């Protein structure tokens, strides 16, 4: 692959991948814990998620520093350079996923004592598990350097966006029926949005993997199906309109 | 400054700054337009913001590509390397600010036809202008390489967070009084959160500038005052609790 291979150089590239794998594992754990904490109203579990976020941030800094120093010291050839830049991008997406999971955990703590309709929370777990699956799959695609698996993740993001759209409408309509609990539903709205954004970051990683393997972009426009930011009152609740 | 200066090398570093300045101008414009569009219920203005976001994204890609190729070709000394990495980080924050402004514009279009209480919208303009000022100041701090100005921006982020907290409570209480307009207030809640996050990105840029000039981090923990993600029902509305 590289024009200027030597043992420690290969070792440096490998350790980038090792750190990415560690970050990925921590991000999966954080997301899973945040969803569980929200669903089971478990503030203690949520506190664990908050505590673990620091290690993801630290790893991202380490990936950045090593990557930049490799580029500066080794003047890598194109294919190696692509590998290094890929590591920087993926680390950044994983760090974001950690932050978003942390935010979900905070909201889980805030509303742990509040009652919530079972149906809404089921929709929550539903989209949460879908996002977690996307994250697992895209991390496997990276470790396997499997462009087709990455493409599959990229395409499945539409399903998460669709789940988010329906959960969003469900949360709003429930909120209208229980205005006194508006702050609980506001937390859930933001929590749902965080999960949808985690799905977007998994999709970013899929695009990065595709670029790493094929040397060209997967296409600027992903199939985008989160339309809530342009939802109007009428379109939101035809039943009530 | 650099050990291996030559005319085209200096030229390359300069063009990084030029692209950052362009991105900054576009980001300021996008944020200003999005706030105006929301306040004046002007969907046409919002459409302009959406249309202009592409150029910010393109500039960010160009900054990344040039920065990486400079690092790979020139093997820069520490101080130059810091300058180049700084450009990458700032470009990323500006690209995010563009995305967040675009999202505000989308929501402005969605609720353009809906009635909204004047008081809430005033709070919106208030925080929007504060975020815009932060952005302008931090971009000046960068072009002037002024660490003190950057530090001042960094410290003022608390004010934006405080404005966000009160706007958030105001939006929720208004929502409880008008549950039938919940979807409008949901758009405003997300819009307010976007502005608060734009403030965070301005703060990131301030930290990056400080690092560029002093070669050390401003400190991991910024004075953080957005507490809404852990707001409980009781703490939110003591009046109604």
């Amino acid at each position: 692959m590289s024009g200027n291979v030597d043992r420690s150089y290969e070792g440096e590239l490998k350790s980038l991948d090792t750190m990415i794998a560690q970050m990925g594992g921590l991000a999966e754990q954080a997301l899973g814990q945040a969803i569980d904490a929200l669903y089971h109203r478990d503030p203690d579990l949520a506190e664990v998620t908050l505590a673990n976020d620091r290690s993801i941030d630290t790893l991202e800094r380490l990936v950045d520093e090593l990557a930049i120093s490799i580029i500066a010291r080794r003047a890598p050839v194109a294919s190696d350079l692509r590998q290094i830049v890929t590591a920087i991008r993926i680390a950044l997406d994983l760090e974001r996923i950690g932050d978003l999971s942390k935010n979900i955990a905070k909201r889980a703590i805030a509303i742990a004592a509040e009652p919530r309709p079972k149906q809404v929370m089921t929709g929550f777990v539903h989209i949460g598990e879908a996002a977690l699956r996307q994250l697992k799959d895209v991390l496997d695609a990276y470790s396997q350097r499997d462009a087709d698996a990455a493409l599959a993740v990229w395409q499945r993001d539409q399903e998460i966006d669709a789940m988010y759209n329906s959960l969003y409408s469900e949360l709003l309509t429930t909120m209208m029926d229980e205005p006194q609990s508006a702050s609980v539903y506001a937390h859930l709205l933001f929590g749902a949005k965080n999960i949808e954004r985690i799905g977007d970051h998994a999709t970013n990683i899929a695009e990065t993997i595709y670029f790493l393997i094929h040397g060209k972009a997967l296409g600027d426009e992903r199939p985008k199906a989160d339309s809530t930011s342009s939802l109007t009152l009428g379109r939101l609740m035809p039943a009530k309109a």
Side-chain angles (χ1 to χ4, degrees), chain A:
Chain A
M1 211 175 145
S2 161
N4 54 342
V5 180
D6 69 53
R7 222 160 144 283
S8 68
Y9 183 27
E10 286 303 339
E12 285 183 335
L13 293 180
K14 236 186 203 51
S15 58
L16 278 180
D17 271 6
T18 311
M19 287 192 279
I20 296 287
Q22 280 177 296
M23 287 187 77
L26 288 167
E28 279 183 36
Q29 192 185 37
L31 177 56
Q33 285 173 341
I35 304 293
D36 287 349
L38 195 67
Y39 186 71
H40 298 295
R41 305 186 182 187
D42 183 343
D44 301 338
L45 180 58
E47 293 289 355
V48 176
T49 315
L50 301 190
N52 292 343
D53 187 56
R54 270 184 176 293
S55 31
I56 300 183
D57 296 347
T58 310
L59 276 165
E60 196 230 344
R61 260 198 305 279
L62 292 175
V63 167
D64 275 15
E65 288 164 9
L66 177 55
I68 296 288
S69 84
I70 296 175
I71 297 172
R73 285 179 293 104
R74 310 278 190 173
V77 297
S79 59
D80 289 350
L81 184 59
R82 205 158 65 224
Q83 208 179 145
I84 296 162
V85 173
T86 296
I88 297 177
R89 295 202 189 292
I90 293 180
L92 185 64
D93 280 304
L94 290 174
E95 185 269 335
R96 290 271 142 67
I97 290 173
D99 281 351
L100 291 162
S101 304
K102 184 176 160 187
N103 192 270
I104 295 168
K106 279 188 191 170
R107 298 180 185 281
I109 294 170
I111 65 176
E114 308 293 339
R116 281 156 283 156
K118 197 157 181 8
Q119 193 194 354
V120 166
M121 295 317 292
T122 313
F124 234 101
V125 171
H126 202 153
I127 188 175
E129 283 169 348
L132 194 54
R133 198 160 47 247
Q134 288 282 81
L135 179 56
K136 282 186 204 298
D137 291 352
V138 84
L139 290 168
D140 290 344
Y142 178 66
S143 62
Q144 306 295 323
R145 299 292 194 269
D146 182 341
D148 295 341
L151 186 60
V153 168
W154 187 78
Q155 284 157 338
R156 272 201 307 277
D157 186 53
Q158 287 182 95
E159 297 169 21
I160 295 207
D161 291 336
M163 290 181 199
Y164 171 67
N165 293 345
S166 67
L167 180 57
Y168 179 89
S169 310
E170 200 180 344
L171 284 166
L172 276 189
T173 44
T174 321
M175 187 184 237
M176 291 180 216
D177 300 339
E178 312 166 24
Q180 71 287 358
S181 307
S183 73
V184 175
Y185 291 108
H187 281 303
L188 292 175
L189 278 173
F190 280 114
K193 183 63 184 173
N194 288 339
I195 295 174
E196 185 270 334
R197 284 175 57 209
I198 286 171
D200 288 343
H201 286 293
T203 310
N204 292 345
I205 296 174
E207 291 175 351
T208 304
I209 294 168
Y210 189 94
F211 171 78
L212 169 65
I213 295 166
H214 292 302
K216 58 181 168 62
L218 186 46
D220 280 343
E221 282 311 314
R222 79 181 49 164
K224 199 70 195 122
D226 162 19
S227 53
T228 60
S229 60
S230 33
L231 268 184
T232 59
L233 198 59
R235 283 175 54 210
L236 178 64
M237 308 161 300
K240 299 210 171 197

